[in-house]
Amino acid sequence: MIGVVIIGSGIAGLACARTLAAFGFAPVVLDKGRGIGGRVATRRVDAMQFDHGAQYVTAQNSSFATLLSELETDGALAKWPGEGDRPRYVGRPGMSALAKAFGVGLDIRQGVQVKGITKTDDGWALQLGDSVLKARRVVLTVPAPQVAGLIGADHQLVADLAPVRLASCLTLMAAVTGPVPFTRRLDQDDPLTWIALDNSKPNRPQGPELWVAQASHDFSERHLEQDALGIANAMLPLLCDRLGVTAERVTYAAAHRWRYARVTQALDQLFLTSADGTLHLGGDWCIGPRVEAAWQSGTAIANDILARL
Ligand SMILES: Cc1cc2nc3c(=O)[nH]c(=O)nc-3n(C[C@H](O)[C@H](O)[C@H](O)COP(=O)(O)OP(=O)(O)OC[C@H]3O[C@@H](n4cnc5c(N)ncnc54)[C@H](O)[C@@H]3O)c2cc1C
């Protein structure tokens, strides 16, 4: 029987695990993905790399600001210079370095998909394909719309999180030789809302210009069910147009579908917990569409568990 199992090695799950580990506990983190970090991700292809999820991290509260500053000192983060009131930090050499730094020393098991969790007399049973894992406490940090599939649509907590909404975001990664009219651009009225030259971030491999473009909510919803090739084909002409280049300049292009990317309606509380306090739900969707929100939610869950022990 494991004391605490955390489902999700995104920033919320890692923040929860880190805090518990700091108090001598040994939580087990399970995640269905290949690499840790969830939506804080870096895609590597040959010598190229793209931050295809979160672009950078900022801090609104002082404890998170201190943590980011410490990670900068440790070499896991660097400031990405530019406009804005708050420093924008990026992982070194990619955004996934942030998750890796959070995950140091933790028991994290990637490639493990939890199919469902059910209450038992002394805790929870987690269905993992052919096997079952038992835990006294479970922390679920998956995107809110995926909770019902794990605990059952008729669970009270599913009703509690019903107001939460997450929007999709399609992302294009492209290597394009040629002019660099800008290094990053935010335009809420453009179907490509965000375009950034990924290797304008510090400590990135030099070479061909590597671009990341994120589609608007409307564009993403319209093309959501296309396959990756179809999404890339829909987004690439827009990127070429914005960069002022022809398609011959493109040496690589791929797309990624984030079905649950950005919180558009948050829960407005740090986490949810079952009546007996053995099941916690959290993630960015509790607070807002930011890495910091995920960290706050995961940390608050850990503190609640510690207070109950
Ligand atoms: C394209 C994009 C751009 C963004 N840009 C920024 C930005 O610039 N700055 C910023 O602060 N934020 C940004 N964000 C938001 C930020 O990435 C998120 O707020 C944050 O990473 C969410 O962390 P989380 O831990 O709550 O969830 P997630 O990162 O989604 O983690 C949940 C984890 O649960 C796992 N999981 C799900 N179901 C199961 C299951 N059944 N079994 C096992 N594991 C499971 C998933 O694999 C995932 O790793 C962006 C997000 C996207 C998608």
Side-chain angles (χ1 to χ4, degrees):
M1 171 83 75
I2 297 169
V4 182
V5 168
I6 298 167
I7 303 174
S9 69
I11 298 302
L14 294 174
C16 182
R18 245 173 89 99
T19 306
L20 291 174
F23 283 86
F25 295 90
V28 172
V29 183
L30 306 178
D31 195 290
K32 66 181 179 181
R34 260 185 312 182
I36 73 168
R39 280 171 274 162
V40 173
T42 304
R43 170 89 55 96
R44 291 190 168 79
V45 187
D46 301 326
M48 300 180 288
Q49 65 169 57
F50 303 88
D51 293 332
H52 62 303
Q55 297 294 290
Y56 56 84
V57 194
T58 54
Q60 294 181 4
N61 77 70
S62 60
S63 50
F64 194 61
T66 303
L67 177 62
L68 296 183
S69 172
E70 286 168 3
L71 289 172
E72 183 187 21
T73 305
D74 293 347
L77 297 183
K79 289 194 188 82
W80 189 18
E83 293 153 23
D85 300 341
R86 300 188 175 93
R88 298 178 185 206
Y89 289 95
V90 295
R92 301 179 50 182
M95 282 303 289
S96 60
L98 172 63
K100 286 178 186 158
F102 277 161
V104 169
L106 299 174
D107 183 347
I108 302 171
R109 304 176 192 178
Q110 293 296 138
V112 180
Q113 176 157 17
V114 180
K115 308 270 189 193
I117 64 170
T118 46
K119 190 85 184 79
T120 62
D121 289 344
D122 54 355
W124 294 88
L126 292 85
Q127 321 295 326
L128 312 178
D130 292 345
S131 61
V132 173
L133 195 67
K134 295 199 166 177
R136 257 182 246 295
R137 295 169 183 278
V138 173
V139 178
L140 256 181
T141 65
V142 306
Q146 295 179 325
V147 170
L150 292 173
I151 63 174
D154 54 353
H155 197 289
Q156 176 56 41
L157 293 177
V158 173
D160 293 345
L161 59 74
V164 173
R165 294 282 177 275
L166 279 90
S168 60
C169 178
L170 301 180
T171 300
L172 177 69
M173 296 155 271
V176 185
T177 57
V180 177
F182 50 83
T183 54
R184 63 189 186 212
R185 197 185 83 152
L186 179 67
D187 182 348
Q188 300 291 358
D189 298 324
D190 193 315
L192 295 190
T193 308
W194 170 261
I195 304 173
L197 180 64
D198 209 76
N199 42 5
S200 70
K201 295 177 177 177
N203 306 98
R204 294 306 192 263
Q206 295 308 303
E209 284 76 27
L210 304 177
W211 294 91
V212 171
Q214 294 168 359
S216 66
H217 174 54
D218 284 353
F219 185 99
S220 297
E221 286 297 313
R222 256 185 294 123
H223 296 271
L224 191 61
E225 301 309 334
Q226 284 184 245
D227 62 14
L229 183 61
I231 295 168
N233 286 340
M235 293 181 73
L236 196 55
L238 302 182
L239 179 65
C240 288
D241 176 74
R242 306 314 183 256
L243 298 180
V245 299
T246 56
E248 290 76 51
R249 301 273 201 156
V250 179
T251 57
Y252 171 83
H256 185 85
R257 177 199 298 119
W258 296 102
R259 190 173 291 279
Y260 303 114
R262 292 174 192 281
V263 179
T264 54
Q265 175 62 57
L267 186 68
D268 287 336
Q269 67 185 70
L270 289 166
F271 57 83
L272 289 171
T273 186
S274 59
D276 67 356
T278 61
L279 174 65
H280 285 77
L281 309 185
D284 62 346
W285 51 268
C286 289
I287 306 166
R290 301 185 315 281
V291 169
E292 181 179 21
W295 179 82
Q296 281 177 296
S297 176
T299 304
I301 290 173
N303 287 331
D304 189 62
I305 291 173
L306 291 168
R308 289 169 186 270
L309 292 172

